[in-house]
Amino acid sequence: MSQYTDILYEVRAGVARITINRPEKYNAFRGKTCDELIDALNAASWDKSVGVVVLTGAGDKAFCTGGDQSAHDGGYDGRGVIGLPVEELQGMIRECPKPVIARVNGYAIGGGNVLVTCCDLAIASETAQLGQVGPKVGSVDPGFGTALLARVVGEKRAREIWFLCRRYTAAEALGMGLVNAVVPHDQLDAEVEKWCQEILAMSPTALAIAKRSFNADTDSIRGIGGLGMQALALYYQTDESQEGVRAFLEKRKPRFRDVYEGKHKAADGGEA
Ligand code: 2NE
């Protein structure tokens, strides 16, 4: 893949910078975006001139807001079990034998928050907001999105994040260990650069071994994700899930309970 449309890829002085470049969609990813991210991460992984990878979003509004809801119609528009090779993308961040830093420049919501969770380190602007939205929009990102998040922030917090779908400030995310540092927005690049320079002074092989040894402890979560995506593909075929996507696009509150309870009733309101 020589030319990208949805991302930017740049290697400079040991740092590979991968930017999701869909600011008009708040850097939401469609199938093509995931494929390009996978390709760029693969390139950075095996380029010996690269010692550290920075993943970010274009513009000042969003890091990434997860799956592109306008490319979602009972499934997304790309390849894979749900039409988004998102579990492959998350796995690729972990497989990359170099530290991957999330430069969280704005909203990290839904699948965007899962990318932050999967990255080795995360440095956030004071303006960033993080959180999950799945149960609010008829989706869920099972696997690294749930079980790895619990390893990062603890079980109770992770369940709160998924069950209540609140948005958290960067300072709150720092408090729960979801990000490593928070800086004023205009100092974000300088701070990321500082962390990159410190990493570049280290032994690349020692870093790769350390990263893989951290991963080994949580690699079984990949299986949970695979199983979860199969379930998610079926869930996306339901009225309940599709109500969530419709409500988001129509900018209204979803009527999940009506739809859910309606499943047990005949169209005339009697019991099925
Ligand atoms: C990001 C957030 C919190 C921003 O809220 P707000 O109130 O500041 O802005 P607004 O009006 O909601 O969004 C601004 C524009 O960005 C678009 C919106 O539709 C809106 O467009 P316009 O009306 O101006 O044309 N936008 C934002 N996020 C988008 C998205 N993901 N896809 C398409 N357009 C998007 C708020 O927008 C929010 O909560 N977004 C929810 C994002 C969402 O539902 N993400 C998918 C979750 S499911 C997922 O990621 C996933 C996964 O992790 C694994 C497998 C499958 C799916």
Side-chain angles (χ1 to χ4, degrees):
M1 212 182 279
S2 55
Q3 288 205 321
Y4 298 129
T5 58
D6 288 15
I7 70 164
L8 304 171
Y9 181 66
E10 178 195 33
V11 176
R12 201 181 330 145
V15 181
R17 189 171 168 126
I18 303 174
T19 307
I20 303 173
N21 191 24
R22 307 188 76 220
E24 72 288 356
K25 297 281 182 191
Y26 276 38
N27 295 319
F29 47 70
R30 55 179 175 169
K32 192 169 197 295
T33 323
C34 292
D35 277 324
E36 292 186 0
L37 288 168
I38 291 165
D39 191 76
L41 281 159
N42 192 43
S45 293
W46 307 116
D47 180 344
K48 282 200 164 180
S49 76
V50 171
V52 57
V53 179
V54 174
L55 178 63
T56 192
D60 286 339
K61 285 255 182 329
F63 167 76
C64 173
T65 57
D68 183 341
Q69 297 293 47
S70 55
H72 184 306
D73 185 14
Y76 288 94
D77 67 340
R79 68 184 173 83
V81 179
I82 60 159
L84 273 184
V86 71
E87 68 275 41
E88 198 178 314
L89 168 59
Q90 295 159 1
M92 197 64 220
I93 292 173
R94 287 166 59 87
E95 280 305 306
C96 174
K98 295 148 191 191
V100 181
I101 302 177
R103 173 188 174 275
V104 189
N105 53 309
Y107 286 121
I109 300 289
N113 191 52
V114 181
L115 295 182
V116 173
T117 305
C118 290
C119 285
D120 300 289
L121 301 164
I123 301 170
S125 157
E126 273 175 357
T127 62
Q129 291 189 42
L130 299 91
Q132 292 302 146
V133 284
K136 205 157 75 175
V137 298
S139 188
V140 62
D141 194 337
F144 293 125
T146 51
L148 184 64
L149 182 67
R151 294 289 190 103
V152 174
V153 302
E155 282 282 349
K156 287 284 188 289
R157 271 293 193 183
R159 286 164 202 247
E160 173 193 313
I161 289 168
W162 273 98
F163 296 169
L164 278 71
C165 293
R166 291 179 178 167
R167 281 189 226 160
Y168 300 89
T169 63
E172 288 169 328
L174 180 65
M176 60 176 98
L178 184 54
V179 301
N180 297 81
V182 177
V183 293
H185 193 72
D186 62 0
Q187 291 169 32
L188 184 59
D189 283 322
E191 189 67 19
V192 171
E193 179 61 18
K194 195 170 135 223
W195 288 57
C196 287
Q197 289 308 318
E198 287 186 40
I199 288 168
L200 287 170
M202 305 295 160
S203 156
T205 306
L207 292 175
I209 296 169
K211 176 163 177 172
R212 289 192 193 285
S213 71
F214 281 118
N215 287 354
D217 187 40
T218 47
D219 267 350
S220 62
I221 294 173
R222 187 187 297 254
I224 301 173
L227 180 60
M229 290 299 162
Q230 292 293 148
L232 189 59
L234 297 176
Y235 174 54
Y236 280 166
Q237 303 311 310
T238 66
D239 289 343
E240 186 182 328
S241 166
Q242 289 168 16
E243 165 62 8
V245 181
R246 268 195 309 270
F248 175 75
L249 295 175
E250 292 167 12
K251 297 186 187 288
R252 62 167 171 81
K253 283 197 169 146
R255 293 183 283 264
F256 287 125
R257 295 222 58 88
D258 288 352
V259 177
Y260 178 74
E261 287 169 27
K263 276 184 188 165
H264 305 288
K265 292 174 186 163
D268 64 0
E271 291 299 317

